[in-house]
Amino acid sequence: MYRDGKQGLGMTDFLAALGLLLAIEGIVFAAFPAATRKALAEAAEAPVERMRVVGVISAVAGVFIVWVVRSGVI
């Protein structure tokens, strides 16, 4: 249960987060197409282990941010 007494907003929050992700990604692709293409090409050339480490760090950072926001610290 959340602090305001609401329950079960997990799917709503997930869909809102997915929508925000797609919006930000779309803005980046539209505003900086050449830089995005270059970044994707560099990512494709990156070693698998580096990509794995970056992915784990990003996931942990994302979970931490959600935890901080949900806990009311900020």
Side-chain angles (χ1 to χ4, degrees), residues 47-72:
V48 173
E49 285 305 314
R50 182 184 305 161
M51 292 180 71
R52 185 170 287 128
V53 168
V54 169
V56 168
I57 290 170
S58 296
V60 169
V63 169
F64 177 75
I65 290 169
V66 170
W67 175 77
V68 166
V69 170
R70 284 286 182 201
S71 69

